[in-house]
Amino acid sequence: MDITRRGGLSMLAGLAVAMGARGTAAAAPTGLQSLAGAKGLRLGSSFGWAAKGADRGSFANPAYAELLTRDCGLLVPENEMKWQALRPTPTSFAFAKFDAMMAWADANSLPVRGHNLLWHQPKWMPRWEETHDFGATPVRAAEQLLVEHITTVCQRYGTRIRSYDVVNEAVNPKDASLYQTALSRALGGPEPTLDLAFHTARRAAPHAQLVYNDYMSWEPGNATHRAGVLKLLEGFKARGVPVDAIGVQSHLVTQGVDARATITGLEGEWRRFLDAVTAMGYGLVVTELDVRDNNLPTDIAVRDRAVADFTRGYLDVMLAYPKLHDVLLWGMTDRYSWIEGFEPRKDKARRRPCPYDAGFKPKPMYAAIAGALAAAAPRS
Ligand code: 9MR
């Protein structure tokens, strides 16, 4: 079934009816989650904290909150659980913003997954970490800092969080090596640091799915990154480290207007990677899906078509793996996507990476996701 090309409009019309039906508290799932739920899947999105009513991708923005409650069966904090947000100093925690997000999610019966317990790169740790004095017994001090962080976060949220990106982006895509931080240098290297993170998470949140999350992808230029991630996953297995699944971030990049041709070229290598991951016993989670509309003309209709077709083809490949249960988008609307600030288009046209446009209208990408969910085999 190719809904992105043939049935896109009728699919959107059908969903609009479902959306309209919502509005009462504890209503049945609507929108994308209703399609996902019918297959035993969950469709989710990142969300953030902001002051009430601010024009941001936050629960406190009614327009954004409406998209979350309409389409999502799962949420993930975009930034508020990171060390940079939670750890102003080595001895303090700042939970207020993330607590508010959890309270809103709970009030709306939306589960939340944790992102992340350790983003293992110097530039994504808090400033103080790289110059931190680990004292006369650095191994012990570094272990203590990491164990205290993970244990404190996991215990605070208990069984309300059932999946964690325990370690995020530890592999350098340039040479497949593991990044070092001041923390890992003190602790005796990256492997013992990452291993300790997972062992600690298992102890502090024995109920939770523990995920290694990274952005190795299927586009050209990712082979070294994929190899590095496979090596890391093999190491985890060999050392008996409790890692349950790999988070495939899925920050996709279009390669041209003919998505089909691109996918035909990329699919084989990508499946070999996913096959190697799943053969080791790891599960799969699509954790941060969005699309950079590169190598496409300015024309919005052409870009949206290519983004939608690329998304549909990608999700069809991913959803063919029975081990995939959760698909999370890195934002619902183009209005708040990180991509606009991180990598604007050369022609200055606004990026179109998400299922809703900047005016909160569903785009062809929305129908593509709906189509992929509708076509997926049911999970047991
Ligand atoms: O979208 C996030 C952006 O708002 C932050 O400034 C940035 C740094 O914290 O992180 C972005 O999210 C990243 C995620 O945490 C990990 N994978 C890549 C995401 C996009 O850069």
Side-chain angles (χ1 to χ4, degrees), residues 249-260:
Q249 291 185 4
S250 311
H251 295 293
L252 306 182
V253 185
T254 51
Q255 305 291 309
V257 286
D258 190 347
R260 268 289 133 216

Side-chain angles (χ1 to χ4, degrees), residues 78-79 82 115 119 124 168-169 249 251 288 330 338:
E78 183 170 1
N79 290 310
K82 296 170 182 174
H115 172 82
W119 191 343
W124 300 122
N168 189 50
E169 299 172 21
Q249 291 185 4
H251 295 293
E288 307 182 12
W330 208 239
W338 67 288

Side-chain angles (χ1 to χ4, degrees), residues 146-191:
L146 184 60
V147 169
E148 189 203 19
H149 179 83
I150 292 177
T151 307
T152 305
V153 174
C154 290
Q155 284 180 351
R156 185 174 187 90
Y157 300 106
T159 53
R160 293 156 76 198
I161 296 184
R162 297 183 168 273
S163 174
Y164 281 100
D165 293 333
V166 177
V167 173
N168 189 50
E169 299 172 21
V171 175
N172 186 336
K174 290 205 182 77
D175 60 5
S177 66
L178 295 176
Y179 289 107
Q180 286 270 24
T181 56
L183 177 78
S184 68
R185 274 190 295 274
L187 209 145
E191 282 95 349

Side-chain angles (χ1 to χ4, degrees), residues 206-334:
H207 56 275
Q209 175 194 47
L210 305 185
V211 176
Y212 174 74
N213 190 48
D214 211 332
Y215 62 87
M216 69 288 122
S217 191
W218 67 347
E219 294 85 2
N222 278 271
T224 306
H225 199 178
R226 288 196 299 266
V229 169
L230 281 183
K231 194 166 143 235
L232 178 65
L233 295 178
E234 282 160 12
F236 285 147
K237 277 282 151 213
R239 299 192 296 274
V241 182
V243 182
D244 300 314
I246 173 176
V248 182
Q249 291 185 4
S250 311
H251 295 293
L252 306 182
V253 185
T254 51
Q255 305 291 309
V257 286
D258 190 347
R260 268 289 133 216
T262 308
I263 291 164
T264 305
L266 300 177
E267 199 178 337
E269 274 298 305
W270 183 238
R271 280 186 196 273
R272 271 190 284 286
F273 170 75
L274 297 172
D275 290 346
V277 169
T278 51
M280 283 189 261
Y282 293 108
L284 298 172
V285 186
V286 170
T287 49
E288 307 182 12
L289 175 65
D290 58 19
V291 185
R292 242 167 279 177
D293 51 3
N294 287 4
N295 314 298
L296 296 175
T298 312
D299 184 276
I300 285 179
V302 176
R303 273 195 284 153
D304 281 1
R305 183 75 267 139
V307 165
D309 291 348
F310 202 54
T311 304
R312 174 64 197 265
Y314 179 77
L315 284 176
D316 284 348
V317 172
M318 296 307 293
L319 288 164
Y321 287 81
K323 285 185 170 173
L324 180 71
H325 296 273
D326 294 332
V327 173
L328 291 106
L329 304 161
W330 208 239
M332 297 299 291
T333 143
D334 299 342

